[in-house]
Amino acid sequence: LLMLPPVLYEWLRKHPLPFRIADASKGDRVIFLLSSVLLTVVTGIFIPSAIIRSSPAEFISVTDFHTPLRYVLQSFLLAAGTFLVWMNVFYYLASPAAKKIGSTAMMICSFSAVVDFMFFGKEYGLMSPMLQYDDFKQLKPADFVINAVVLLALGTGLWLLQKKLPAVTRSVSLAACAAIIIMSGMNVFGIQSKFNEIKRSAEDFTQDQGVHFQLDRKGKNVVVIMLDRAIGDFMPYILEEKPELREQFAGFTCYPNSISYGSCTILGTSSLFGGYDYVPAVSDDRPVSVKQKQNEALRVMPDTFAENGYEVSVFDPPLAGLSYFPDLTIYRDHPSINAFILKNRLAGTYDTKTTNELLYRNFFAYSLFRGAPVALHTTFYNSGKYNHSEGVSSVQVVNDIYSASGGFDGSDRKFTGTYAVLKNLAGLTSVTDSGTNSFVMLNNDTTHDVVMLQEPDYEPANAIDNRAFEENPPVRYVADGSRLVFQNPVQLMHYQCNMAAMLKLGKWFDYLRENGVYDNTRIIIASDHGRPLDYLGNMRFEGSDDDEYPANDVMYYKALYLVKDFGSTELTVDDTFMTTADTPTLAFSGLIENPVNPFTGNPIHSDYKNRPEHLIAMSPLFSPEEYTGSEKQYLDVTWIGLKGDNTADLSAWRIIGDKRK
């Protein structure tokens, strides 16, 4: 719109009647057209497809099962309209001199977009499927200077090349177009191949029928719940702030002195579900793929319980098939195991149409953001709204530590789809009197896909204002006087979502009591890893200066671990050293005699944790898409050592490095 008035002015001033502007040189027109094509492909196909290909499963919804390439198509159409249509309209309306300038400017912009995306803006942190960063990291002044110098040098070089060797410039532009088109085609092929693989794995499972699990009043029931990235150290403060949870969690033992053997889901889940055979330091020595190890681990408890006559139900097994969209076919050869995908299925207000429309627009907007100079990134990103003009944002925008807006008008797929599972646990529970034993294994991301919630009820809302509540601090301290003080929104959001998960679990426990299946149900609740949040002071030991992935932060490896056994009635705290790999041992205890791992043939027990030093795996490569499927060891691992069994003793921790010693 800003470009139209001067063009219109020139037209009215000089040519009151229709006219034909003299053409620029053929070479200029070719450069402008090639640059238009390059910008179209970069912003419409290359950048969106690169983001989706990094994790295709995250852009597939079980309630709206379509290829993620539809987002690429819509982005391409917007890019083509912008750069192939409108920019060429402006070009042909411009004067010959302006065309000359415009062709060079367009070429510089197109090459700059490629350079900016490929080499800058990669430090902003983790990004959700709604194209929002968990914690948008501000760049350092040096980053702006380096980017400006690189772009200035690039622009100067292209201008000189166009001026001195126009034929070479056209060849370079053509080669750049060809290269980006080929890379985009590879991305598109990779996305569609992954989608076809996921589609084949989902065809055998009818997700719309019989989605429930059984707990029996007369049998023995075992429930294992993984809360992804739940923070164990929050639990004492949660119980102080909400005393009613003490009654609801009666019978549970809290183990604050607990660890996971991995810093992220791909490193921590296999040992949680499969036991000590799948501790990374152990399984790395097995000559089978990481994918096979993950699938085995997810089957150890379901297979063993099923073979012993239990009714078995599995929900959202994490990274089954080494995919964010769980591959339920790993249970295909055991038809007695009921496997389901629940995430995004139970949120009543979940509106896929609104979400899709938002992503159709925002993928192109994201491309403009990543293709722009670094100095414009904050403006283009716009707190994850990408300058959307509607009054209520379809993604939550956090304003400060007290307030946020948008995100819960029915289109948020980040939090609502997983939180709804915990809200509907009672509706998923089928209570019977047949005397049949039952085993339930459930994974939930409520504590991982964090958002800001309205206090004190800790519920999602479109308009969040917690200033009054937080300025008159709630009871967030423990017996020794330690108090939680949140200094940034990310810290508070993690606490809020951990609280929300516990509140919903507490209500489900009340339901189990009312229906007579609480006392005869063993429940294990564990997290696969933690996260450095710096909310409890210095929890770092010596040995790392990486601010983004601080391998020396104990909070990566500390885990939430809660266990309720049959007939337990008191809520207790036990400082006994535990690891998440104890889960199969505890699940089978007293029920399965001499349990054996069906895949390795090894007895299932917890003797491994008596070793003098525990080796824990830390890696910044947390996405399963980093693995092609044949790797036999985890990638880019830094080994962390914990001597003894006291996680609070910082002197007991050390960074071993990339080789175990």
Side-chain angles (χ1 to χ4, degrees):
L1 290 175
L2 291 175
M3 295 174 71
L4 282 173
V7 174
L8 183 61
Y9 171 78
E10 287 297 315
W11 178 49
L12 293 175
R13 186 172 67 87
K14 295 183 178 180
H15 302 279
L17 297 175
F19 64 95
R20 181 178 182 275
I21 297 178
D23 291 334
S25 68
K26 183 178 179 181
D28 290 329
R29 292 199 305 271
V30 170
I31 285 293
F32 192 89
L33 182 60
L34 287 174
S35 300
S36 299
V37 170
L38 183 56
L39 268 176
T40 298
V41 177
V42 168
T43 60
I45 304 178
F46 180 59
I47 295 178
S49 64
I51 296 303
I52 294 174
R53 191 182 183 185
S54 67
S55 184
E58 291 197 87
F59 297 95
I60 300 173
S61 172
V62 69
T63 58
D64 187 29
F65 201 85
H66 292 89
T67 174
L69 288 178
R70 57 183 171 166
Y71 302 126
V72 178
L73 174 60
Q74 292 290 338
S75 183
F76 168 72
L77 293 176
L78 285 172
T82 302
F83 300 116
L84 286 180
V85 177
W86 281 110
M87 287 301 178
N88 279 275
V89 168
F90 296 142
Y91 178 80
Y92 283 108
L93 288 175
S95 67
K99 288 180 180 179
K100 187 81 174 175
I101 296 172
S103 63
T104 303
M106 195 72 165
M107 176 181 59
I108 293 173
C109 287
S110 63
F111 278 86
S112 296
V114 175
V115 170
D116 275 318
F117 174 69
M118 297 186 74
F119 301 104
F120 297 95
K122 297 183 177 182
E123 305 85 8
Y124 292 127
L126 303 179
M127 189 174 67
S128 77
M130 296 304 293
L131 307 183
Q132 273 192 312
Y133 290 99
D134 284 358
D135 183 16
F136 188 73
K137 301 181 185 302
Q138 298 298 322
L139 298 180
K140 300 174 183 177
D143 297 317
F144 294 95
V145 174
I146 293 172
N147 180 252
V149 170
V150 169
L151 294 185
L152 181 62
L154 176 67
T156 302
L158 290 172
W159 174 70
L160 290 173
L161 190 65
Q162 167 72 343
K163 186 175 182 179
K164 302 294 184 181
L165 300 169
V168 174
T169 306
R170 291 193 292 273
S171 297
V172 170
S173 297
L174 183 61
C177 286
I180 293 296
I181 289 173
I182 291 172
M183 287 190 288
S184 298
M186 293 171 64
N187 287 342
V188 168
F189 178 79
I191 293 169
Q192 190 60 30
S193 297
K194 184 64 176 179
F195 174 74
N196 292 336
E197 179 184 328
I198 292 173
K199 185 177 180 181
R200 286 192 298 270
S201 70
E203 286 176 347
D204 291 347
F205 292 86
T206 56
Q207 295 296 315
D208 295 321
Q209 298 178 359
V211 182
H212 71 277
F213 57 86
Q214 173 183 302
L215 296 179
D216 196 274
R217 293 188 181 94
K218 299 178 182 178
K220 293 289 187 180
N221 308 303
V222 179
V223 177
V224 174
I225 299 174
M226 187 191 107
L227 294 177
D228 199 325
R229 207 167 73 190
I231 308 298
D233 283 344
F234 279 155
M235 200 63 194
Y237 303 94
I238 288 174
L239 293 173
E240 285 296 326
E241 182 176 342
K242 298 290 185 181
E244 64 269 25
L245 287 173
R246 293 185 177 276
E247 295 183 8
Q248 293 174 324
F249 278 74
F252 275 90
T253 298
C254 302
Y255 292 98
N257 190 28
S258 300
I259 63 166
S260 165
Y261 281 100
S263 64
C264 55
T265 300
I266 198 169
L267 295 173
T269 50
S270 57
S271 56
L272 190 159
F273 290 106
Y276 287 96
D277 280 348
Y278 300 96
V279 169
V282 175
S283 65
D284 249 14
D285 294 332
R286 287 183 62 203
V288 296
S289 69
V290 171
K291 179 178 180 179
Q292 181 177 332
K293 295 168 189 173
Q294 183 74 14
N295 292 346
E296 287 180 6
L298 293 172
R299 290 189 51 173
V300 167
M301 289 189 288
D303 279 30
T304 303
F305 276 113
E307 290 295 335
N308 283 270
Y310 280 68
E311 179 79 15
V312 176
S313 299
V314 177
F315 298 91
D316 298 321
L319 303 186
L322 221 59
S323 171
Y324 278 124
F325 194 99
D327 180 2
L328 301 184
T329 61
I330 69 170
Y331 302 106
R332 177 184 289 163
D333 61 352
H334 215 306
S336 62
I337 296 175
N338 303 303
F340 303 95
I341 295 174
L342 285 179
K343 188 174 181 178
N344 293 337
R345 291 181 46 83
L346 302 178
T349 59
Y350 184 74
D351 185 349
T352 56
K353 182 175 183 293
T354 306
T355 297
N356 290 336
E357 289 178 351
L358 183 73
L359 288 177
Y360 291 155
R361 172 200 181 274
N362 280 1
F363 261 110
F364 176 60
Y366 177 86
S367 296
L368 296 180
F369 150 63
R370 286 296 306 276
V374 168
L376 298 176
H377 279 192
T378 300
T379 301
F380 277 37
Y381 178 65
N382 186 220
S383 300
K385 290 187 295 185
Y386 298 97
N387 296 285
H388 199 275
S389 62
E390 292 185 3
V392 178
S393 173
S394 293
V395 292
Q396 186 180 75
V397 176
V398 177
N399 305 316
D400 52 41
I401 194 170
Y402 301 116
S403 63
S405 59
F408 297 101
D409 57 352
S411 62
D412 181 85
R413 71 165 52 172
K414 179 182 178 183
F415 176 81
T416 311
T418 188
Y419 179 57
V421 175
L422 297 185
K423 289 181 66 175
N424 288 279
L425 281 175
L428 294 168
T429 308
S430 175
V431 178
T432 61
D433 291 292
S434 64
T436 303
N437 298 326
S438 297
F439 172 70
V440 178
M441 193 172 88
L442 184 146
N443 167 52
N444 189 266
D445 293 339
T446 296
T447 49
H448 183 280
D449 298 337
V450 299
V451 294
M452 187 168 287
L453 302 175
Q454 182 61 52
E455 299 167 335
D457 295 329
Y458 295 92
E459 289 283 354
N462 257 323
I464 302 290
D465 186 357
N466 292 322
R467 184 172 299 275
F469 187 78
E470 289 295 332
E471 288 183 343
N472 183 20
V475 181
R476 291 180 185 151
Y477 57 83
V478 290
D480 65 358
S482 300
R483 178 182 290 274
L484 278 185
V485 178
F486 301 113
Q487 299 176 329
N488 60 63
V490 175
Q491 294 172 338
L492 180 57
M493 287 158 61
H494 275 80
Y495 177 82
Q496 290 175 336
C497 291
N498 275 257
M499 173 68 84
M502 296 307 164
L503 291 174
K504 294 310 172 189
L505 286 173
K507 289 186 176 181
W508 182 56
F509 298 154
D510 285 341
Y511 173 84
L512 298 184
R513 288 186 181 91
E514 293 168 2
N515 286 272
V517 289
Y518 188 75
D519 289 341
N520 66 318
T521 299
R522 173 182 288 162
I523 305 173
I524 302 172
I525 304 172
S527 62
D528 54 337
H529 60 92
R531 178 175 176 175
L533 292 172
D534 294 326
Y535 50 82
L536 293 173
N538 181 23
M539 294 296 291
R540 298 190 183 187
F541 51 95
E542 296 182 358
S544 175
D545 57 2
D546 189 331
D547 291 333
E548 186 172 5
Y549 298 105
N552 63 331
D553 198 312
V554 173
M555 301 313 298
Y556 256 135
Y557 320 112
K558 293 199 71 175
L560 171 72
Y561 210 64
L562 308 172
V563 180
K564 188 200 81 70
D565 211 346
F566 302 116
S568 298
T569 58
E570 300 294 327
L571 175 63
T572 60
V573 177
D574 190 336
D575 285 326
T576 299
F577 178 69
M578 302 291 286
T579 85
T580 56
D582 289 323
T583 301
T585 302
L586 295 177
F588 296 141
S589 178
L591 302 176
I592 309 296
E593 187 175 356
N594 300 320
V596 174
N597 185 322
F599 303 101
T600 65
N602 296 328
I604 295 175
H605 51 66
S606 295
D607 293 350
Y608 179 89
K609 73 175 181 181
N610 297 323
R611 58 194 298 110
E613 184 172 33
H614 300 271
L615 297 180
I616 303 168
M618 189 277 172
S619 175
L621 302 182
F622 52 82
S623 172
E625 306 299 336
E626 302 279 357
Y627 293 78
T628 61
S630 59
E631 292 87 354
K632 295 179 174 59
Q633 294 184 323
Y634 294 103
L635 302 177
D636 200 17
V637 169
T638 296
W639 296 100
I640 309 298
L642 169 63
K643 293 182 179 180
D645 58 6
N646 184 2
T647 61
D649 181 7
L650 294 182
S651 65
W653 294 84
R654 67 174 179 137
I655 294 180
I656 297 174
D658 59 355
K659 294 183 179 180
R660 287 174 279 164
K661 297 180 182 179

